[in-house]
Amino acid sequence: MSAPMLKKCVVLATGGTIAGWADDPSQAAYQAASQPVNAVLGDLSPGTMVWETEQVAQVDSSAMTPALWLRLQARLRHWLAQPDVAGVIVTHGTDTLEETAFFLHHTLPTQGKPVVLTGAMRAANHPQADGPDNLRAARDWVAQAPAAGVWVVMAGQAHHPHWVQKVQTSPASAAFSSGPAGPFAHWQSDAGVWSLASPTPMAPPPQHLRDAPWPTTDAWPWVALVWSYVGAEGREVDALMAGANPPRAWVVAATGSGTLAPLLQEALQRAHQRGAPVWRTSRCVWGQGEDWVEPNWAPICALPPVKARMALQLTLMGQEGG
Ligand code: ASP
């Protein structure tokens, strides 16, 4: 009788601090995205699976682009379609990890399999490197598959891409949080077991995002992001709208529940009258905005500013053919 075939756990590496290296590990400075995927995995056992690795990119995640997202998405599609693949781990810099997770969550059919994004706050040769534990937790998530779809695993917690944000830059504290929604699951590092947290009901994604298209081009529409603050005059809005290639749309990180500084509001209304959709989001870290707060020509999008911006890009691509 032949032995049952072991499932593959695919690791797609994109760079970041988890692949970082310090010339002097006792110092803070290090070079992100410098170790190849097999060095990042080191001697970590694949447990009940076998590793399959691929270096999809090698960047500090501040240099992530829609073009790289399309490449990553194509490789994910390739691997997820294979019956012997249990799931995929994507290693990624923490700075934009939540954006990549959000993008994949809304555009990638995961075939009922787990896709886990993870990273590290400390370089691979730091004495307290967190990458190895994050990889172990991600491996256990793939093996146990507590939930299919796209998840962010960091510091023993699994977060939903809709909520998760990097909220700390200090490696000493948990860098990622889902705010009031809380983490979706906790990992017991000694037993290597995932258990679901008392699940906060997930708000379904807005209809326009459920229908988000699979972008086929990296020429995404330019959606400009502007902030409201004391004394904001909206000069940048008028200046960009007067240019030869004005933004296709605007997202404004409004104050509180969606209020705007008066002059900024007037400038955005001028842009809106020229055909540029304007969405409001809240600049409060866990703010959602309120639909009843004026002006109603600028709808509220209950996502953090950078995710709201991407949601508007995907929406425009859906309407105009991506
Ligand atoms: N700058 C790094 C990156 O995002 C930070 C990290 O990975 O923690 O690639």
Side-chain angles (χ1 to χ4, degrees):
M1 211 170 67
S2 60
M5 216 184 18
L6 292 179
K7 291 261 186 180
K8 288 178 181 160
C9 180
V10 179
V11 182
L12 302 183
T14 70
T17 295
I18 194 167
W21 199 258
D23 287 339
D24 177 354
S26 68
Q27 299 295 311
Y30 65 92
Q31 179 68 44
S34 53
Q35 298 297 297
V37 58
N38 290 315
V40 171
L41 271 183
D43 56 8
L44 178 65
S45 155
T48 54
M49 304 176 288
V50 287
W51 294 126
E52 182 81 50
T53 61
E54 190 177 321
Q55 192 79 45
V56 175
Q58 187 64 298
V59 293
D60 184 292
S61 73
S62 53
M64 189 50 70
T65 60
L68 280 178
W69 277 347
L70 294 187
R71 192 195 299 172
L72 176 61
Q73 214 180 35
R75 297 315 295 154
L76 279 159
R77 279 191 100 158
H78 165 82
W79 288 111
L80 290 167
Q82 322 232 347
D84 60 345
V85 166
V88 183
I89 297 171
V90 176
T91 58
H92 198 289
T94 60
D95 288 348
T96 62
L97 193 144
E98 71 216 49
E99 288 173 70
T100 300
F102 184 81
F103 168 68
L104 294 173
H105 173 68
H106 285 295
T107 60
L108 178 73
T110 61
Q111 319 277 356
K113 297 179 182 180
V115 172
V116 186
L117 281 84
T118 194
M121 294 295 288
R122 293 186 171 111
N125 63 335
H126 189 282
Q128 283 105 38
D130 52 333
D133 253 7
N134 288 336
L135 282 166
R136 272 200 314 129
R139 173 206 65 192
D140 291 347
W141 185 277
V142 170
Q144 291 156 34
V150 179
W151 297 92
V152 170
V153 162
M154 286 290 291
Q157 297 181 328
H159 297 272
H160 191 275
H162 202 95
W163 305 116
V164 68
Q165 293 187 61
K166 182 174 180 179
V167 292
Q168 302 266 6
T169 52
S170 160
S173 41
F176 285 80
S177 169
S178 295
F184 182 79
H186 296 279
W187 181 64
Q188 240 181 285
S189 68
D190 42 353
V193 171
W194 279 99
S195 44
L196 299 189
S198 47
T200 311
M202 289 290 168
Q207 184 64 39
H208 58 264
L209 279 178
R210 261 177 279 159
D211 300 339
W214 180 279
T216 51
T217 167
D218 59 1
W220 289 20
W222 179 19
V223 174
L225 178 58
V226 66
W227 285 60
S228 188
Y229 45 83
V230 171
E233 295 178 342
R235 286 194 214 187
E236 64 275 64
V237 178
D238 287 327
L240 289 178
M241 290 307 292
N245 292 303
R248 173 73 187 78
W250 289 83
V251 167
V252 54
T255 36
S257 297
T259 50
L260 297 174
L263 293 179
L264 173 63
Q265 178 163 325
E266 284 171 24
L268 286 168
Q269 188 161 19
R270 285 191 284 279
H272 179 254
Q273 282 160 351
R274 288 188 52 192
V278 179
W279 281 9
R280 278 174 300 155
T281 174
S282 177
R283 72 177 202 182
C284 299
V285 182
W286 302 114
Q288 303 246 304
E290 299 273 356
D291 284 325
W292 57 268
V293 175
E294 298 283 335
N296 57 12
W297 47 261
I300 292 284
C301 177
L303 288 167
V306 291
K307 289 181 189 173
R309 179 180 170 277
M310 196 195 315
L312 184 44
Q313 286 181 304
L314 292 172
T315 300
L316 292 169
M317 285 191 279
Q319 288 164 358
E320 293 159 7

